[in-house]
């Protein structure tokens, strides 16, 4: 980052980091194939996210790109000055998030270190006052290093993080108990045991749901504890709710309620590992000119490693997400026209079907084996996959979706009423937070 031209800094940093991480993944796969272990690849995955995001933020700020060439999301994290060695290693090796995350951008880390994060996030306006800008969000033309001292918040003005930190730590402890006491009763290795294949169809479905649901508690334990540590230190404050309560979701990695009760597959997936979703969006989705989804999945796959089960899960997840989108477009508006009771039944059905689909395409991520996963799919007669193909191919012909012109007009009306852009390009919403507006914009 110090020596390379700014035009190469981002791509070379990404290539070097992913290559180094891939070598570690391959080494682990050779020596500990199929075993669930805690090794250096976990922290290294977080470090790769931080290093690459920092490189791309520097490229956005120092390459001479005009603000209009950057998306509002990219402008939010642009950097106009390379960090010092202390700042760099303090960010990359930050002990709050080193072992299991959550991932956060350098701009948010800089605000946290300088003590300006509270005042900046508490402001009701869409842009921060100049004294809190940290020389990041200025136009590339005529850049001047700011001499205005950055005003840190007073201790008495900062919201108390103890309650939210203890809540997350307590929930993490509950998930740890589930991981230690209940998960071993449902080993994932049983999916390849002859006894599993001899059991009833309903038991097979139940076992897959149990394995995937309980295994998620392993991640909940680590992520919630990481969130708790960050919040207790003061990292993660994200402004206030309408009722005046403080929000501590700036660096949150998972929303368990949505994850376990989401009414759609898209909503559920976005609640899982949201830090990585943010990184992928910043790195690939908003930069790729073609095949955005494909390139996003490619980077996500290589970043995770090279176990075949990962790729089965990613491909299947994309497939079922598309199928769920077709169901929503073809069915939802018809249900809504029938009143609130029909909507309640529809929401219940989509919640259950989402849980089934989630279990169906995520168990290979845990099993890791290719042929073992295919054997389970074959034993289930590929019924969910066949239903997905039916939904994509035949459902639009049986229940045609809304006309594109009507859909586009409706979307524009909703977008116009919810999202506005100020002069700096940041989203200003009527009753919605910026994250929701940005999500709507991407979708």
């Amino acid at each position: 980052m110090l020596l390379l031209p700014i035009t190469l800094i981002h791509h070379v940093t990404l290539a070097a980091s992913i290559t180094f991480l891939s070598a570690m993944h391959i080494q682990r796969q050779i020596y500990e194939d199929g075993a669930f272990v805690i090794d250096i690849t976990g922290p290294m995955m977080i470090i790769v996210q931080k290093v690459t995001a920092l490189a791309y933020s520097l490229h956005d700020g120092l390459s001479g790109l005009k603000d209009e060439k950057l998306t509002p999301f990219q402008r939010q994290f642009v950097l106009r000055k390379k960090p010092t060695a202390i700042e760099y290693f303090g960010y990359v090796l930050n002990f709050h998030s080193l072992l299991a995350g959550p991932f956060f951008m350098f701009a948010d880390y800089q605000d946290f270190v300088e003590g300006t994060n509270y005042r900046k996030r508490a402001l009701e306006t869409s842009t921060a006052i100049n004294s809190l800008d940290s020389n990041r969000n200025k136009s590339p033309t005529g850049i001047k290093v700011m001499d205005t001292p950055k005003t840190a918040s007073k201790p008495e003005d900062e919201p108390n993080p103890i309650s939210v930190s203890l809540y997350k730590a307590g929930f993490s402890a509950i998930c740890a108990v589930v991981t230690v006491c209940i998960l071993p009763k449902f080993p994932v290795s049983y999916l390849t045991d002859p006894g599993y294949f001899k059991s009833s169809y309903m038991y097979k479905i139940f076992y897959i749901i149990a394995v995937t649901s309980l295994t998620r508690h392993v991640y909940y334990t680590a992520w919630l504890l990481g969130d708790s540590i960050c919040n207790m230190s003061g990292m993660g404050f994200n402004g206030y709710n309408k009722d005046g309560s403080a929000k501590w979701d700036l660096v949150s990695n998972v929303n368990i309620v949505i994850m376990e009760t989401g009414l759609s597959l898209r909503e559920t997936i976005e609640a899982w590992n949201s830090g990585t979703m943010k990184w992928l969006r910043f790195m690939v989705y908003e930069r790729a000119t073609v095949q955005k989804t494909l390139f996003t999945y490619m980077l996500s796959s290589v970043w995770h490693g090279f176990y075949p089960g990962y790729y089965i899960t990613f491909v299947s997840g994309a497939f079922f997400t598309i199928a769920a989108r077709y169901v929503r477009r073809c069915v939802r508006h018809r249900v809504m026209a029938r009143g609130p009771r029909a909507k309640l039944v529809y929401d219940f059905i989509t919640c259950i079907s989402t849980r089934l689909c989630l279990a169906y395409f995520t168990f290979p991520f845990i099993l890791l084996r290719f042929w073992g996963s295919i054997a389970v799919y074959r034993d289930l007669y590929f019924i969910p996959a066949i239903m997905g193909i039916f939904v994509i191919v035949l459902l639009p012909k049986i229940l045609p979706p809304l006309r594109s012109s009507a859909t586009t007009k409706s979307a524009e009306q909703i977008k116009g009423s919810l999202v506005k852009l100020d002069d700096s390009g940041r989203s200003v919403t009527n009753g919605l937070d910026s994250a929701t507006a940005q999500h709507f914009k991407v979708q």
Side-chain angles (χ1 to χ4, degrees):
M1 289 190 199
L2 289 177
L3 301 178
L4 286 175
I6 200 63
T7 54
L8 299 176
I9 186 175
H10 53 321
H11 293 325
V12 174
T13 300
L14 176 62
S17 302
I18 289 295
T19 301
F20 188 79
L21 178 62
S22 298
M24 289 186 167
H25 279 314
I26 293 173
Q27 184 184 35
R28 172 188 171 181
Q29 195 164 337
I30 292 174
Y31 292 105
E32 297 169 342
D33 187 25
F36 183 83
V37 295
I38 299 177
D39 66 344
I40 189 60
T41 57
M44 188 55 61
M45 292 169 72
I46 304 297
I47 292 176
V48 167
Q49 287 182 325
K50 292 181 177 180
V51 170
T52 53
L54 174 58
Y56 274 75
S57 295
L58 287 172
H59 172 266
D60 293 342
L62 299 178
S63 61
L65 290 174
K66 295 182 179 179
D67 288 350
E68 294 76 16
K69 296 292 184 179
L70 302 176
T71 67
F73 189 65
Q74 293 167 359
R75 285 197 292 272
Q76 185 179 354
F77 303 110
V78 69
L79 298 174
R80 306 298 186 191
K81 182 175 63 174
K82 290 185 179 182
T84 64
I86 292 294
E87 292 173 328
Y88 173 80
F89 288 109
Y91 169 62
V92 172
L93 302 178
N94 175 264
F95 69 90
H96 302 126
S97 62
L98 181 61
L99 291 180
F103 160 76
F104 44 81
M105 303 292 289
F106 181 83
D108 293 329
Y109 170 77
Q110 190 178 37
D111 290 336
F112 164 70
V113 170
E114 293 173 349
T116 61
N117 56 321
Y118 288 107
R119 293 192 62 190
K120 180 176 292 187
R121 294 290 172 178
L123 293 175
E124 295 180 353
T125 55
S126 61
T127 55
I129 57 177
N130 290 340
S131 62
L132 303 181
D133 265 344
S134 300
N135 196 33
R136 285 199 305 272
N137 300 319
K138 301 302 177 185
S139 173
T141 58
I143 296 177
K144 295 181 180 179
V145 178
M146 296 184 60
D147 297 325
T148 306
K150 292 175 279 293
T151 307
S153 59
K154 299 178 181 179
E156 58 269 21
D157 297 331
E158 299 176 0
N160 194 328
I162 292 180
S163 59
V164 67
S165 298
L166 292 180
Y167 170 79
K168 292 181 178 180
F171 216 106
S172 174
I174 294 174
C175 294
V177 171
V178 173
T179 300
V180 174
C181 298
I182 303 179
L183 179 59
K185 300 181 185 298
F186 295 88
V188 68
S189 58
Y190 184 68
L191 291 174
T192 58
D193 189 274
Y196 170 81
F197 295 104
K198 294 179 182 179
S199 57
S200 65
Y201 195 90
M202 292 302 298
Y203 180 79
K204 295 171 185 175
I205 297 296
F206 162 77
Y207 196 88
I208 290 178
I209 294 176
V211 167
T212 54
S213 299
L214 292 172
T215 301
R216 286 199 291 271
H217 286 73
V218 178
Y219 298 90
Y220 293 161
T221 301
W223 287 344
L224 287 175
L225 190 58
D227 289 358
S228 175
I229 294 170
C230 287
N231 293 162
M232 185 62 80
S233 70
M235 182 72 182
F237 175 68
N238 198 24
Y240 294 95
N241 296 306
K242 290 183 178 180
D243 59 1
S245 60
K247 294 190 296 184
W248 291 90
D249 57 356
L250 179 65
V251 297
S252 182
N253 227 357
V254 65
N255 188 323
I256 296 181
V257 175
I258 296 179
M259 187 66 205
E260 299 298 337
T261 63
L263 302 180
S264 70
L265 199 57
R266 185 191 68 185
E267 181 185 32
T268 303
I269 292 176
E270 288 172 352
W272 174 262
N273 203 358
S274 53
T276 297
M277 295 295 181
K278 181 178 181 179
W279 175 66
L280 291 171
R281 174 186 168 190
F282 179 77
M283 297 288 294
V284 182
Y285 191 86
E286 292 198 354
R287 299 179 189 273
T289 56
V290 295
Q291 301 293 337
K292 293 176 177 288
T293 303
L294 174 62
F295 287 120
T296 301
Y297 270 101
M298 286 176 59
L299 178 59
S300 178
S301 301
V302 176
W303 179 75
H304 276 91
F306 301 100
Y307 282 107
Y310 294 160
Y311 295 86
I312 295 176
T313 292
F314 292 138
V315 173
S316 302
F319 169 75
F320 282 106
T321 301
I322 295 173
R325 191 177 302 162
Y326 273 91
V327 172
R328 185 179 183 88
R329 291 174 178 175
C330 297
V331 178
R332 183 175 175 82
H333 66 279
R334 291 180 167 87
V335 174
M336 295 302 169
R338 294 182 176 271
R341 291 187 178 180
K343 180 184 181 299
L344 185 63
V345 174
Y346 175 81
D347 289 343
F348 176 78
I349 294 175
T350 55
C351 181
I352 298 300
S353 59
T354 297
R355 308 279 80 73
L356 292 173
C357 287
L358 194 67
Y360 184 79
F361 71 76
T362 57
F363 83 84
F365 193 94
I366 307 169
L367 188 60
L368 301 178
R369 309 290 187 178
F370 177 79
W371 291 114
S373 302
I374 297 300
V376 175
Y377 281 144
R378 185 172 58 246
D379 190 62
L380 297 175
Y381 306 113
F382 295 96
I383 290 179
I386 295 173
M387 293 176 63
I389 295 174
F390 169 81
V391 165
I392 294 174
V393 176
L394 298 179
L395 185 61
K397 298 179 181 179
I398 300 174
L399 299 174
L402 290 175
R403 292 180 302 174
S404 58
S405 58
T407 305
T408 303
K409 183 178 179 180
S410 175
E412 290 177 349
Q413 291 174 347
I414 296 174
K415 184 177 178 181
S417 64
L418 296 181
V419 182
K420 297 179 181 179
L421 294 179
D422 64 4
D423 294 336
S424 67
R426 296 188 177 190
S427 61
V428 185
T429 63
N430 299 327
L432 293 180
D433 58 24
S434 59
T436 304
Q438 292 296 337
H439 164 70
F440 184 89
K441 182 178 177 62
V442 171
Q443 295 302 326

